[in-house]
Amino acid sequence: MSTFEYAPAPESRSIVDIAPSYGLFVNGEFVDGHGHSFKSISPSTEEVLAEIAEADETDVDLAVRAARRAHSRVWGRMPGKERAKYLFRIARIIQERGRELAVLESIDNGKPIKETRDVDVPIAAAHFFYYAGWADKLEYSGYGTESVGVAGQVIPWNFPLLMLSWKIAPALACGNTVVLKPAETTPLTALLFAEICQQADLPPGVVNIITGAGETGRALVSHPDVDKVAFTGSTEVGRSIARSVAGTSKRVTLELGGKAANIVFDDAPVDQAVEGIVNGIFFNQGHVCCAGSRLLVQESVADDVLDRLKRRMSTLRVGDPLDKNTDVGAINSAEQLAKIRELSAIGEDEGAERWAAPCELPEHGFWFPPTLFTGVTQAHRIAREEIFGPVLSVLTFRTPSEAIEKANNTPYGLSAGVWTDKGSRILKMAGALRAGVVWANTFNKFDPTSPFGGYKESGYGREGGRHGLAGYLKGEARR
Ligand code: NAP
Ligand code: MG
């Protein structure tokens, strides 16, 4: 526990200029929607930030038409080396306006400024740089060079700008045009990105941003003139999208939930493993699809690891997302907070033991302390279901094969972590774990060159790397 108080070190929000209201970004311009509007709030203060247009079916149709025109007349015909220039330009503007994007993301989403500044924004720019490099080299992709057409893209609220970049950069590099719907609670960085598209002189209609809630998303993915659907979000909505496009010629990629095992063996460097556990579950308030939400720790070292983990958790600073010292920010919405509380209460009812880091939570806004549950069994709902918050379930194991069995005993298959001193064990575990990404002696590392995606209920298709081009090109896969 810290023995002295830190002075607050808030980042100034004067760099961002939030308008009282926002329209939709269609065909290169901000236009009024035909539907209602809704408010985006700051989850750390509950302050209303702006009034946002809610796109209805007419708006969705106008956006898809704009994207279709831009694809057939301009973008789909443009040589890759010309498209690349726009992507490079967007990447550079994201860097130039990085502080503005980081502050705005922290305000609208509630995540700490050190994460938006050091993770979300730099990786978003890196995605545009990386896919800019592919635009004139698609003949080496293995998936042909012909674009699919219009992509309808729907993203969640946990990494608003980053998920936008994962979706838009590969789509544009391959010559597709897009209509993207950000999440209802986090539309502001997507709207700033629309401004960046204008600043980069991107031809009208290549990128369209339509704000709204689930109904807008449903109208977009079911629009008959959308060729490709890319979705990141919950398994439940992913399933309904898979059903709605079944029987059509639409291509689909789904990035869904996860319940990753973070496995600590008795020979792991304990302090590093503890940092990895903390990063795995408390990064981004645990609102991470690949979060290490199930800690599997070898029984012989469990007491030691848990002691050190609790000590480390007690030093986490929870509070103002704009404070540069903050480790854990606000929960994104009242709904998500209610979900985390409900599942945590169920954990206690089922007999697991709850421990929360001692910390003072701010009076306004949505907050949940870093929490862990011990005495968790595989049958417990907190071991099986996504909590999507700063809550860790701890289970123990005795042998590597027991660890593999427990780690794979989940309907999901997105990611896993392995902590051990032995390289041979890392290789064996990586082969045996049924997860799209396996990190060894690290966790939550992302790079645009590396494909990301899941097995089983975690979805299908890959984003990032060469594999991330597959969904946006017409050619059959060639290895
Ligand atoms: P969600 O409810 O599935 O929402 C995701 C997006 O889909 C939002 O923009 C949402 O709109 C929209 N949507 C809702 N209903 C829809 C429908 N019927 N048709 C089309 N779109 C619809 O998920 P969430 O709770 O916001 O996000 C958390 C989930 O995302 C977690 O389960 C997490 O694991 C998953 N996730 C996965 C990855 C990955 O890469 N695998 C990454 C991040 C998050 P509104 O929210 O605006 O209403
Ligand atoms: Mg918000």
Side-chain angles (χ1 to χ4, degrees):
M1 200 100 58
S2 61
T3 50
F4 54 92
E5 289 298 313
Y6 281 88
E11 178 80 26
S12 163
R13 62 184 272 182
S14 64
I15 193 164
V16 301
D17 193 7
I18 302 176
S21 65
Y22 288 87
L24 309 167
F25 184 65
V26 176
N27 206 32
E29 292 172 11
F30 285 94
V31 297
D32 291 337
H34 293 80
H36 302 285
S37 63
F38 60 96
K39 293 174 173 46
S40 191
I41 65 166
S42 169
S44 64
T45 58
E46 299 176 61
E47 165 199 352
V48 174
L49 297 170
E51 194 76 33
I52 312 287
E54 182 176 354
D56 69 3
E57 284 196 12
T58 309
D59 299 314
V60 171
D61 188 51
L62 288 171
V64 172
R65 280 169 195 263
R68 173 63 61 199
R69 270 196 313 275
H71 180 258
S72 53
R73 295 187 192 164
V74 187
W75 198 251
R77 296 173 171 203
M78 193 183 279
K81 71 178 184 1
E82 294 303 316
R83 288 198 306 269
K85 291 179 190 169
Y86 289 97
L87 276 103
F88 277 124
R89 208 179 284 166
I90 290 171
R92 282 195 303 267
I93 300 174
I94 291 176
Q95 289 184 319
E96 282 161 20
R97 301 182 72 171
R99 202 156 80 82
E100 190 181 348
L101 285 162
V103 172
L104 187 61
E105 191 82 302
S106 282
I107 295 173
D108 197 20
N109 170 285
K111 63 171 80 188
I113 185 75
K114 75 169 180 191
E115 290 178 4
T116 56
R117 183 195 60 199
D118 298 347
V119 180
D120 299 59
V121 173
I123 305 184
H127 266 264
F128 279 95
F129 277 120
Y130 174 74
Y131 281 110
W134 268 112
D136 65 349
K137 302 173 194 70
L138 296 176
E139 67 218 79
Y140 305 108
S141 70
Y143 307 112
T145 57
E146 201 186 336
S147 58
V148 174
V150 174
Q153 307 180 319
V154 178
I155 57 172
W157 43 261
N158 56 347
F159 292 94
L161 180 72
L162 188 57
M163 288 300 111
L164 172 150
S165 305
W166 282 29
K167 295 277 178 288
I168 294 185
L172 297 196
C174 296
N176 305 275
T177 56
V178 311
V179 180
L180 176 133
K181 190 198 89 67
E184 184 183 3
T185 57
T186 53
L188 293 184
T189 46
L191 293 164
L192 181 52
F193 181 82
E195 264 183 48
I196 290 175
C197 292
Q198 288 179 324
Q199 194 183 341
D201 260 334
L202 192 71
V206 174
V207 167
N208 304 273
I209 308 280
I210 52 166
T211 42
E215 205 35 47
T216 306
R218 199 199 48 73
L220 174 58
V221 299
S222 55
H223 191 289
D225 205 29
V226 163
D227 302 302
K228 145 92 186 163
V229 172
F231 172 79
T232 296
S234 61
T235 298
E236 188 192 350
V237 174
R239 266 200 211 105
S240 87
I241 290 176
R243 273 196 300 273
S244 85
V245 301
T248 72
S249 59
K250 285 178 194 171
R251 289 162 169 245
V252 191
T253 43
L254 300 174
E255 300 279 358
L256 309 175
K259 192 75 190 173
N262 206 356
I263 306 166
V264 178
F265 285 97
D266 59 5
D267 63 341
V270 186
D271 288 328
Q272 272 136 291
V274 165
E275 285 308 305
I277 297 164
V278 166
N279 173 258
I281 187 63
F282 303 119
F283 169 67
N284 205 37
Q285 296 71 247
H287 301 327
V288 183
C289 49
C290 51
S293 52
R294 285 184 298 153
L295 172 63
L296 298 185
V297 57
Q298 196 152 12
E299 208 174 272
S300 50
V301 292
D303 288 344
D304 185 29
V305 169
L306 283 175
D307 280 350
R308 296 197 210 200
L309 178 60
K310 286 179 180 172
R311 222 178 310 147
R312 177 68 179 92
M313 282 168 66
S314 305
T315 67
L316 291 174
R317 304 181 158 271
V318 183
D320 181 8
L322 283 183
D323 193 308
K324 292 182 279 269
N325 287 324
T326 294
D327 298 305
V328 179
I331 301 303
N332 181 252
S333 64
E335 292 73 34
Q336 188 59 27
L337 179 59
K339 205 172 127 189
I340 297 168
R341 284 186 175 148
E342 186 193 336
L343 264 167
S344 301
I346 290 171
E348 273 181 308
D349 290 347
E350 287 180 328
E353 194 180 325
R354 178 182 188 147
W355 182 88
C359 58
E360 262 177 48
L361 300 179
E363 204 179 315
H364 296 289
F366 317 126
W367 305 94
F368 199 87
T371 297
L372 64 79
F373 279 97
T374 47
V376 179
T377 74
Q378 296 189 80
H380 284 168
R381 279 181 63 187
I382 51 170
R384 310 196 61 77
E385 295 177 28
E386 248 191 334
I387 301 176
F388 222 60
V391 182
L392 178 67
S393 296
V394 183
L395 296 93
T396 57
F397 67 92
R398 292 180 189 173
T399 63
S401 51
E402 189 185 344
I404 292 166
E405 208 173 292
K406 284 186 168 165
N408 287 340
N409 183 10
T410 167
Y412 296 110
L414 193 55
S415 61
V418 179
W419 297 83
T420 174
D421 201 30
K422 288 189 193 63
S424 58
R425 181 177 278 161
I426 291 172
L427 293 176
K428 186 169 170 238
M429 294 297 290
L433 292 169
R434 197 75 187 130
V437 181
V438 179
W439 287 292
N441 294 327
T442 188
F443 207 91
N444 273 342
K445 285 276 178 291
F446 305 98
D447 190 279
T449 62
S450 171
F452 182 90
Y455 290 108
K456 303 193 283 187
E457 290 189 15
S458 293
Y460 41 82
R462 293 291 177 267
E463 293 188 307
R466 183 181 67 86
H467 301 78
L469 299 166
Y472 294 102
L473 289 168
K474 270 192 181 159
E476 287 304 310
R478 200 158 29 84
R479 301 254 159 215

